[in-house]
Amino acid sequence: MNDAATDTSVIIRELKPSAGYERLVEARDADTGLHALVSIHSLKRGPAAGGCRMFNYAKIEDAIYDVERLSRGMTYKNAAAELPLGGGKSVIIGDPKTQKSPELMRAFGRFIDQLAGDYYTAEDVGVSPQDMAHVAEVTAYVAGLEGGEFASGDPSPVTARGVFLCLKQTLKHGLGSDDLTGKVIAIQGLGHVGMSLAGMLHEAGAELIVSDINDEAVRIAQDSFGATVVAPDEILHQRADVFAPCAMGGALTADAIAALKARFVVGAANNQLADDTCGQRLKDAGILYAPDYIVNGGGIVNVAMEILKISDPAYRESRIAGLATTLEDVFVRADETDQPPHVIADQLIESRLR
Ligand code: NAD
């Protein structure tokens, strides 16, 4: 890249990654106060790709735990979407409200540039497309930009389309038909993905029950899609065919599962299962769970096209349709082996990594 990338005060240091991970790299820059980590979980399918999170971690151990957990998740998500990308993630340690600056983001970009294409970054919690534009001033190993030839912009509509196709696939598997007419879908969270999904479901004839802590969002869904609005703590109790978690992670706790009245769970949120027991609990309750990292893979397909410099919409559509095919594979194997779908999903993805 340009001079700023090579003429750098950013000091990088290899740390010992946890077992099963390929690399863990720390960067510090005295001029800007940058303290960042990149975890590369796997390069088996291609260069590692995953976003950058900025968070004020109390200890470096907390940051390492988070960046490694998230980078492993990206290996699975990228492989689930059958992308030629491995799994990685980065974190910047600091408060995004008070410690972020264009200079800091450029220093982070010089760090990424020194990894010479083993890792591509993009935005995540605490980091915006504008921040990534500063990163892009000093390195080419960045995606999630709003301008440029292959810029992918907001991935949410693509994520929502993937959720929509996976939801139909789940109904088809469970009920023998993917017709949404009159089906009741309870959506938790009407943000970028949830609202877009609500529009698609309404268009397809579904009835919506929605909740959000943002009153404006629920009002829009009520006015635009005739949705029934319930309080955030009521959404789990609704009689619905599908519960679609599209807010924060960890929605499927033991208590939440006990309260659920839906037969299917298909949604966009990351890390929906609150702990390792919850997938089995869903199965025991007779609820078919569509594993989150397959269902919400549309977003990474969008980012991947920017990294791989692909502009053909047919590629996007085929990868997204592939999410539903992978999901059906998981359901079939789960039925055959009498195991919960989240266990089978991990096994299937691990076989793609061998
Ligand atoms: P967002 O921040 O735009 O929307 C989240 C919505 O959930 C907000 O409207 C918020 O008010 C609402 N919310 C928060 N707590 C709630 C609660 N207790 N009950 C009801 N609503 C609540 O986020 P998003 O981009 O729409 O993403 C939604 C989820 O999907 C997140 O978990 C995200 O990590 C995941 N995801 C998003 C994408 C993407 O392309 N945006 C891709 C993959 C995964």
Side-chain angles (χ1 to χ4, degrees):
M1 286 301 289
N2 61 24
D3 286 351
T6 47
D7 176 25
T8 177
S9 57
V10 177
I11 309 290
I12 75 169
R13 184 164 78 107
E14 297 284 339
L15 304 180
K16 190 173 181 316
S18 299
Y21 289 76
E22 296 205 15
R23 266 178 101 179
L24 179 64
V25 191
E26 182 185 41
R28 285 183 187 271
D29 175 52
D31 292 348
T32 60
L34 176 77
H35 187 194
L37 295 164
V38 166
S39 166
I40 295 177
H41 174 255
S42 170
L43 293 167
K44 285 204 183 82
R45 293 180 62 89
C52 169
R53 181 167 287 195
M54 184 163 182
F55 186 76
N56 210 359
Y57 296 97
K59 308 194 290 292
I60 179 87
E61 290 78 13
D62 296 347
I64 291 175
Y65 175 80
D66 214 26
V67 76
E68 289 202 322
R69 176 182 72 88
L70 293 165
S71 95
R72 182 173 181 276
M74 288 312 302
T75 298
Y76 282 67
K77 191 180 282 206
N78 290 334
E82 297 182 89
L83 296 167
L85 295 172
K89 200 89 184 181
S90 51
V91 294
I92 298 175
I93 301 168
D95 183 344
K97 290 205 177 71
T98 58
Q99 287 171 270
K100 205 164 60 179
S101 65
E103 294 73 28
L104 182 99
M105 294 314 298
R106 281 192 285 271
F108 174 72
R110 292 197 295 272
F111 169 30
I112 299 310
D113 206 60
Q114 289 187 61
L115 302 177
D118 268 2
Y119 167 68
Y120 281 77
T121 195
E123 60 266 25
D124 194 86
V125 178
V127 176
S128 68
Q130 290 75 19
D131 297 327
M132 281 301 134
H134 294 304
V135 174
E137 290 170 27
V138 294
T139 183
Y141 306 120
V142 54
L145 300 172
E146 284 176 330
E149 194 185 348
F150 295 96
S152 58
D154 178 10
S156 309
V158 185
T159 304
R161 169 126 180 97
V163 178
F164 177 75
L165 293 182
C166 286
L167 193 152
K168 279 171 72 78
Q169 189 64 51
T170 306
L171 289 179
K172 191 166 185 187
H173 185 87
L175 304 175
S177 162
D178 65 359
D179 185 3
L180 279 159
T181 316
K183 291 285 178 301
V184 180
I185 319 290
I187 305 178
Q188 180 185 51
L190 291 167
H192 291 91
V193 182
M195 191 67 87
S196 180
L197 176 67
M200 293 175 197
L201 291 167
H202 172 67
E203 189 106 320
E207 288 173 25
L208 304 180
I209 304 176
V210 299
S211 75
D212 198 295
I213 51 174
N214 173 357
D215 292 342
E216 174 67 5
V218 290
R219 195 189 54 70
I220 292 171
Q222 194 172 33
D223 292 352
S224 309
F225 314 131
T228 302
V229 176
V230 298
D233 57 357
E234 287 296 315
I235 192 79
L236 292 162
H237 304 270
Q238 302 304 310
R239 288 207 177 279
D241 296 290
V242 181
F243 172 60
C246 296
M248 315 306 282
L252 300 169
T253 61
D255 288 349
I257 293 164
L260 263 186
K261 297 203 172 59
R263 282 183 62 186
F264 307 102
V265 175
V266 191
N270 278 312
N271 305 318
Q272 291 168 28
L273 300 174
D275 64 56
D276 284 348
T277 66
C278 291
Q280 184 66 46
R281 282 180 201 272
L282 283 162
K283 181 176 184 306
D284 294 344
I287 298 168
L288 184 59
Y289 169 66
D292 46 15
Y293 66 79
I294 300 175
V295 173
N296 68 21
I300 193 66
V301 169
N302 213 46
V303 170
M305 288 178 68
E306 188 173 349
I307 294 172
L308 302 167
K309 303 196 184 335
I310 297 171
S311 52
D312 183 359
Y315 182 88
R316 181 181 300 117
E317 199 51 33
S318 78
R319 291 302 88 182
I320 291 172
L323 298 173
T325 309
T326 296
L327 184 63
E328 177 61 14
D329 251 12
V330 167
F331 287 152
V332 168
R333 290 192 208 190
D335 289 347
E336 283 167 3
T337 56
D338 197 29
Q339 291 204 67
H342 76 290
V343 171
I344 299 297
D346 282 0
Q347 288 173 5
L348 181 77
I349 300 311
E350 278 151 21
S351 75
R352 286 185 185 172
L353 294 170
R354 278 196 286 275

